[in-house]
Amino acid sequence: MKKLLLTALFFLSLNSFAQTLCDYATNVKDSVGSYKVTKEYLISEKIFAGTSSYIFYTLSLTDGLPTLNVQLIQKSKGFIKANCFDKNSRLYLQLNNGKVITLVHTNLEYCGSMIRDEKGFDNRVIVGNFMFMKGTMEDLKSSPLSLMRIKYLTDTEDYIVKKQLVSELTGKTYQPETYFINNLKCIEN
């Protein structure tokens, strides 16, 4: 009986240690409302011929409304095409189980900003906030990602979501495929 009890306690403690803690950039609750934002997480990195692009995700919860914030950063000494988000922009996420999840952009039109750095590179930063459709968060928690499609105002781009990504920018290892499985719990009520 003691061995059975010790074995059960051992497995329960392993399960509690295996769960990752939420890492917030902001977590505020006051008389006006509540606001949580997870730290940025690298989902995609492309570096080729002097041009680089990065896609970061953060999850936020504003007074009970969950959103996915997408930040795209492009860096090049050459021309960088401007992509804009508008009310018709969408983020499509294909899961390994075959389902396609659609996230809808908020109505704010945004084309990003261009910044030239001291090394002569042009840097374009564009940020979009996408809302989850009813029932999609459960699907995202149950299956890894395989493909991401971003529909801009005038263009559409596809990205293969990797199981593991070792960033040349930060040197850290990321698991983009399981981002939602591991992080959606951080913005649930």
Side-chain angles (χ1 to χ4, degrees):
M1 184 67 174
K2 283 184 182 180
K3 287 183 180 182
L4 182 61
L5 184 61
L6 286 173
T7 304
L9 284 173
F10 175 74
F11 284 112
L12 286 173
S13 65
L14 277 179
N15 189 31
S16 65
F17 287 122
Q19 295 181 9
T20 57
L21 297 175
C22 295
D23 199 5
Y24 295 105
T26 305
N27 189 358
V28 178
K29 187 172 187 174
D30 58 19
S31 61
V32 178
S34 62
Y35 181 65
K36 291 181 184 180
V37 179
T38 60
K39 289 194 174 181
E40 290 180 340
Y41 196 88
L42 185 64
I43 297 297
S44 176
E45 178 180 74
K46 292 181 186 177
I47 300 172
F48 182 74
T51 300
S52 54
S53 67
Y54 309 92
I55 298 177
F56 292 91
Y57 280 178
T58 60
L59 291 166
S60 66
L61 185 67
T62 307
D63 295 329
L65 178 66
T67 56
L68 174 67
N69 310 307
V70 179
Q71 180 182 45
L72 295 96
I73 301 171
Q74 297 170 301
K75 183 175 187 169
S76 178
K77 284 196 175 182
F79 176 76
I80 299 177
K81 182 175 129 184
N83 284 320
C84 301
F85 288 125
D86 74 338
K87 65 180 181 176
N88 296 316
S89 293
R90 301 286 184 265
L91 181 69
Y92 300 102
L93 302 169
Q94 184 171 345
L95 307 178
N96 282 350
N97 65 11
K99 288 186 180 181
V100 176
I101 306 298
T102 303
L103 283 77
V104 179
H105 189 262
T106 57
N107 287 333
L108 300 174
E109 187 171 314
Y110 187 68
C111 295
S113 56
M114 183 75 80
I115 303 165
R116 183 174 289 265
D117 66 18
E118 66 279 353
K119 295 180 181 176
F121 283 92
D122 287 330
N123 297 277
R124 179 173 296 281
V125 179
I126 181 172
V127 178
N129 299 314
F130 293 86
M131 297 179 290
F132 295 94
M133 305 294 284
K134 187 175 183 175
T136 58
M137 289 176 70
E138 292 305 316
D139 289 330
L140 288 167
K141 288 191 287 188
S142 67
S143 180
L145 297 175
S146 61
L147 186 71
M148 171 178 59
R149 173 175 284 170
I150 301 175
K151 181 187 174 296
Y152 299 100
L153 176 64
T154 59
D155 196 12
T156 301
E157 287 189 39
D158 292 335
Y159 300 87
I160 295 172
V161 179
K162 296 180 179 179
K163 184 173 187 153
Q164 182 171 303
L165 169 65
V166 179
S167 173
E168 290 183 37
L169 177 68
T170 65
K172 294 181 181 178
T173 301
Y174 298 89
Q175 284 77 34
E177 185 184 74
T178 56
Y179 176 77
F180 292 106
I181 293 170
N182 296 331
N183 293 288
L184 274 175
K185 68 183 182 316
C186 298
I187 61 164
E188 291 179 329
N189 289 328

